[in-house]
């Protein structure tokens, strides 16, 4: 897979408005960065259809367990990044792997038994990232996160928007990793040399039809990617028994007052 797979096409998107649900509860968190405190826990199913995870007060996803007893992201190393390509300024929050200091507090717009919606504006006021985390239950349960990045200025701006996770499948730090355009995966094979690891995996995938250019990455590093230089840790081929991580990158040209939306999902296999 080559870096050129990501076509740098720029798409202008229309403005989107945000309306809170009727029972919306607006709360502002002022915790120090990075924010890795479990705030909302979601659970569904049993055995092979089981899914449990936590959304933190910073908008990160912790402790994905699926199926029951199998932990895909046992640590607090998951999160999101934004790069303003017009200025070269990066904004990120990768949980315990660190967060940039240029974010404002997180506002919880609404929450229910299956959904929590959060919004966060950069400290310079240029961007607002709204995330809606949804528990998708069923035979193939999924953590779904709809991310909407709004340009609060009058000028059009290019941006990278990305999701990242340091995967340790069944608490094994060395996994097999690879990626397609639509999804990046980490897994333990039935032939893995670690006898304590089970043959399970996790996929970080684009969900639905993306209106923005996107590319998934299997990184040869457990660290979160540089939001403005996301291909730094992108190897030329698959990784075998490696301590790596997953990322999904979107690129858009966002008009003044407009927004770009992308939906990602975590699904065990």
């Amino acid at each position: 897979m080559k870096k050129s797979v990501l076509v740098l096409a720029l798409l202008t998107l229309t403005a989107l408005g945000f309306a809170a649900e009727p029972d919306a509860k607006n709360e502002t968190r002022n915790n120090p960065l990075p924010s890795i405190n479990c705030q909302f826990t979601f659970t569904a199913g049993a055995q092979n259809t089981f899914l449990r995870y936590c959304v933190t007060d910073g908008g990160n996803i912790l402790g994905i367990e699926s199926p029951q007893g199998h932990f895909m992201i046992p640590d607090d190393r998951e999160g999101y990044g934004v790069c303003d390509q017009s200025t070269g300024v990066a904004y990120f929050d990768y949980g315990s792997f660190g967060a940039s200091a240029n974010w404002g507090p997180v506002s919880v717009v609404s929450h229910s038994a299956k959904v929590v919606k959060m919004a966060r504006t950069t400290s310079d006021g240029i961007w607002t990232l709204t995330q809606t985390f949804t528990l998708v239950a069923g035979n193939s349960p999924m953590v779904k996160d709809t991310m909407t990045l709004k340009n609060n200025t009058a000028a059009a701006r290019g941006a990278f928007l990305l999701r990242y996770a340091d995967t340790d499948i069944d608490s094994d730090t060395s996994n097999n990793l690879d990626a397609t355009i639509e999804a990046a995966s980490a897994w333990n094979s039935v032939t893995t040399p670690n006898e304590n690891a089970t043959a399970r995996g996790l996929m970080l995938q684009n969900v639905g039809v993306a209106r923005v250019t996107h590319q998934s990455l299997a990184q040869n590093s457990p660290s979160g990617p540089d939001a403005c230089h996301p291909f730094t840790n992108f190897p030329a081929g698959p990784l075998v028994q490696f301590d790596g991580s997953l990322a999904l990158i979107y690129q858009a040209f966002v008009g003044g007052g407009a927004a770009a939306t992308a939906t990602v999902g975590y699904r065990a296999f």
Side-chain angles (χ1 to χ4, degrees):
M1 192 177 295
K2 306 294 185 181
K3 296 181 182 179
S4 58
V5 171
L6 177 59
V7 180
L8 300 182
L10 300 177
L11 304 178
T12 302
L13 301 177
T14 57
L16 297 178
F18 302 109
E21 288 78 2
D23 60 346
K25 180 181 179 181
N26 294 292
E27 306 172 33
T28 300
R29 314 288 180 189
N30 291 288
N31 298 309
L33 295 174
S35 299
I36 54 175
N37 301 310
C38 179
Q39 192 71 30
F40 302 98
T41 300
F42 299 91
T43 306
Q47 302 302 322
N48 285 339
T49 63
F50 181 83
L51 172 62
R52 177 165 57 199
Y53 61 94
C54 175
V55 176
T56 75
D57 50 3
N60 313 88
I61 300 171
L62 297 186
I64 295 178
E65 180 187 355
S66 184
Q68 198 160 5
H70 297 277
F71 294 88
M72 303 291 111
I73 307 179
D75 298 319
D76 45 15
R77 300 169 183 171
E78 193 278 346
Y80 49 92
V82 174
C83 174
D84 187 326
Q85 293 182 285
S86 303
T87 62
V89 175
Y91 315 82
F92 61 91
D93 189 332
Y94 296 143
S96 64
F97 256 140
S100 60
N102 50 5
W103 284 106
V106 174
S107 172
V108 178
V109 180
S110 62
H111 61 88
S112 66
K114 293 185 177 181
V115 181
V116 60
K117 185 175 183 179
M118 296 176 160
R120 194 175 198 182
T121 299
T122 56
S123 57
D124 55 22
I126 294 176
W127 300 99
T128 295
L129 177 63
T130 300
Q131 300 189 83
T132 302
F133 300 92
T134 303
L135 171 64
V136 179
N139 292 330
S140 185
M142 176 175 64
V143 184
K144 186 174 74 171
D145 178 20
T146 299
M147 302 184 294
T148 298
L149 183 65
K150 184 180 180 183
N151 176 5
N152 298 320
T153 72
R157 295 173 179 271
F160 280 132
L161 171 63
L162 62 90
R163 197 83 205 175
Y164 146 85
D166 174 24
T167 52
D168 294 335
I169 307 303
D170 266 343
S171 300
D172 183 2
T173 58
S174 297
N175 311 135
N176 304 316
L177 303 98
D178 204 357
T180 65
I181 294 175
E182 296 294 326
S185 301
W187 71 95
N188 293 325
S189 159
V190 292
T191 58
T192 178
N194 186 345
E195 63 181 10
N196 296 317
T198 37
R200 298 283 183 178
L202 182 72
M203 178 184 300
L204 171 56
Q205 63 183 123
N206 174 64
V207 177
V209 179
R211 297 179 59 195
V212 291
T213 304
H214 58 282
Q215 170 71 59
S216 61
L217 301 178
Q219 293 198 122
N220 58 6
S221 169
S223 301
D226 181 335
C228 289
H229 303 91
F231 295 103
T232 302
N233 298 316
F234 186 29
L239 297 168
V240 178
Q241 288 296 287
F242 206 92
D243 186 9
S245 56
L246 308 178
L248 187 51
I249 302 167
Y250 296 85
Q251 184 185 44
F253 188 75
V254 189
T261 298
T263 302
V264 302
Y266 285 107
R267 192 191 304 271
F269 61 90

